Amino acid sequence: MSINSFENYPMTWKPDRNLLKTPLYFHLAQLLEQDIRAGRLPFGTQLPPQRELADFLDINLSTVTRAFKICTQKGLIHAVIGKGTFVSSQPPLPLSAFKKDDTCIRLSVLCSYYQLNHIVSDVSRKLMQSQSVDQLFEFDAGQTEQEQKQKITAQNWLQKFQVQTSVDNILLADGTQNALVIAFLTLFKAGDKIGVDTFTYTNFIALANQFQIELVPLKSDKEGILIQDLVKTLKQQELKTLYLVPTSNNPTAVSLSMKRRRQLAELIVKKQLLLIEDDTYAFINAKDTAPFVQLIPQHTIYIHGLSKSLFSGLRVAYMVVPNHLQPQFTKTADTLNTHIPLLNANIVSELIVSGKADEVIERKKALAKERNALYRQYFPNSAAANPYVLFQWLPLPEHINGYDFEELAKKNGVEILCAERFLVGGATEQSALRVATCSPDTTEELEQGLKLLKKLLPLA
């Protein structure tokens, strides 16, 4: 249909066809994002039906569908089944944008038991009083002897989590996010596709958006990603990689069963896929389930962040890379100059070698067990099976919008994150809340927050 026939047609959004360049879907998505962020499309605006928009612009329907999908993944728009597509009521914020509000009980951002920070303070103080402390403030990208020592420490540490690897396959990174950036720069180009849980780590979503990578949501149950859904997806789309948080997926707290891990591993090998295994929560692996890197080492990029198990401010992560990818990953890491500051690296090494790291983990698990038992008292039907999780996944009534409940909770003194912030693609038929049980300073504060949530749910 000619564009001219739609010149006077009433539409809530009429992008300028002359501004579109190839690839059309990408630039159409950019125009939509610009108009939303500039306020030209207010929150709640219903967008034109995709077919009408395609006719208006004289382009293929599939082009509009791809553009809408990109903006949906960014959280800018959302579909309501049977009603249409709308500008989201609240554009998603990166979690780093959340500032502590002392008027609210914090059940939002994960603050992994900061009350234990005094342990790292004691270790740091001792290290700062040593005779060799001056060397820790030097910078030399070629500090191969120091880096080799750190890798040996990493190798020994990873063995505790069933990761057997050569020192040559270990890379050191400034935290999980930095490790993921290395992986993105090494493995992907714009337009590549990664299969992920329908609800996944928000910072991974943000990275994918930044690198123009398409995330493909995969359905899950209580044992993890459904094999049949992955098989179906692979027939329809060309996935390059899978990204999984196998122990306590953030935000749903679901852990992949050993049976499901073996099934996924077999399929990954059969289809010659790569897996990015984010094992940040390995320390709370209650069933001591083997990681993918042990099952299929040549198909797995393994990332083991220490921010949640030890201390957030240290920003240290260990990567294990397959032999055939090691040169490319090393080149990227060297180009980015991702060497961990010597002070941080030595603090982590001292924590591990002295046994303090093990002590911290045991104390965190004890705190988690106590707090999750408390959570179970208030919300028994949604409590995770793993007693050591740092967060819980609380389903909301089907008619409740997650962002609306966030706002309601904050007005009543509780800061919480809704399912929509973790959603990949499409709309969710039922929202939920990620309840960060690890974040309040005390158990009493947590209980106060849980009481408020319990009280607000009937009002939502």
Side-chain angles (χ1 to χ4, degrees), residues 57 72 81 157 167 249 270 277 348 404 408 423 435 439:
L57 295 171
T72 298
I81 297 171
W157 176 255
V167 169
N249 175 55
K270 180 180 179 181
E277 180 178 17
V348 169
D404 290 343
L408 175 66
L423 179 64
V435 183
S439 295

Side-chain angles (χ1 to χ4, degrees), residues 46-327:
Q46 182 173 4
L47 295 174
Q50 293 183 26
R51 190 173 297 280
E52 286 187 9
L53 188 58
D55 288 343
F56 172 75
L57 295 171
D58 199 20
I59 59 178
N60 290 331
L61 174 61
S62 61
T63 301
V64 177
T65 300
R66 292 183 71 181
F68 274 34
K69 189 171 186 178
I70 289 173
C71 288
T72 298
Q73 289 176 337
K74 291 185 175 184
L76 297 167
I77 61 177
H78 66 278
V80 177
I81 297 171
K83 293 185 178 180
T85 304
F86 299 81
V87 176
S88 293
S89 59
Q90 184 174 345
L93 293 171
L95 297 192
S96 59
F98 279 81
K99 307 300 180 185
K100 187 173 183 180
D101 184 347
D102 291 330
T103 66
C104 287
I105 296 171
R106 199 175 206 193
L107 299 177
S108 52
V109 180
L110 297 179
C111 304
S112 182
Y113 300 112
Y114 286 177
Q115 56 267 50
L116 299 180
N117 283 357
H118 65 89
I119 297 175
V120 75
S121 299
D122 294 341
V123 171
S124 303
R125 195 174 296 110
K126 180 180 177 182
L127 194 61
M128 294 293 285
Q129 293 171 348
S130 66
Q131 293 183 348
S132 58
V133 65
D134 290 352
Q135 298 175 10
L136 302 183
F137 299 99
E138 297 175 2
F139 177 79
D140 180 3
Q143 288 169 329
T144 53
E145 183 179 347
Q146 278 280 355
E147 188 166 283
Q148 194 70 6
K149 288 181 180 178
Q150 303 301 333
K151 287 185 176 183
I152 292 171
T153 300
Q155 182 187 42
N156 293 333
W157 176 255
L158 291 174
Q159 286 176 2
K160 296 175 181 285
F161 305 97
Q162 303 186 57
V163 180
Q164 306 290 337
T165 187
S166 165
V167 169
D168 295 334
N169 295 99
I170 295 175
L171 292 178
L172 309 176
D174 295 323
T176 297
Q177 194 77 352
N178 188 274
L180 288 171
V181 169
I182 294 172
F184 270 79
L185 287 172
T186 305
L187 297 173
F188 306 114
K189 62 182 185 299
D192 283 345
K193 297 180 179 182
I194 302 176
V196 296
D197 277 283
T198 300
F199 297 100
T200 196
Y201 179 39
T202 53
N203 289 358
F204 189 82
I205 297 173
L207 273 179
N209 289 338
Q210 186 72 29
F211 285 94
Q212 299 174 28
I213 305 299
E214 182 178 344
L215 299 184
V216 179
L218 299 167
K219 296 177 182 177
S220 302
D221 61 12
K222 292 184 178 180
E223 292 185 55
I225 282 178
L226 294 168
I227 300 299
Q228 59 268 36
D229 190 57
L230 177 55
V231 170
K232 178 182 175 182
T233 300
L234 288 171
K235 289 179 180 178
Q236 299 171 341
Q237 305 197 54
E238 186 177 346
L239 300 185
K240 187 168 185 178
T241 309
L242 295 179
Y243 168 77
L244 296 176
V245 183
T247 298
S248 191
N249 175 55
N250 187 0
T252 62
V254 169
S255 292
L256 283 160
S257 67
M258 194 65 239
K259 178 182 178 182
R260 192 66 55 86
R261 293 185 193 215
R262 290 196 180 99
Q263 291 173 331
L264 282 169
E266 182 180 347
L267 188 57
I268 288 168
V269 172
K270 180 180 179 181
K271 298 296 184 180
Q272 290 299 296
L273 297 172
L274 272 174
L275 168 67
I276 299 176
E277 180 178 17
D278 183 346
D279 213 13
T280 295
Y281 301 98
F283 72 103
I284 59 167
N285 188 342
K287 295 186 178 180
D288 204 26
T289 315
F292 283 94
V293 71
Q294 178 183 318
L295 302 174
I296 46 172
Q298 293 308 309
H299 290 263
T300 305
I301 294 100
Y302 179 84
I303 300 175
H304 185 100
L306 296 174
S307 63
K308 299 298 185 292
S309 59
L310 298 183
F311 302 100
S312 299
L314 290 177
R315 312 310 303 165
V316 173
Y318 300 143
M319 297 183 73
V320 178
V321 181
N323 292 328
H324 65 286
L325 292 174
Q326 192 269 338

Side-chain angles (χ1 to χ4, degrees), residues 306 310 314 316 318 343-353:
L306 296 174
L310 298 183
L314 290 177
V316 173
Y318 300 143
L343 179 60
N344 286 18
N346 276 268
I347 290 172
V348 169
S349 289
E350 180 59 29
L351 286 167
I352 291 173
V353 172

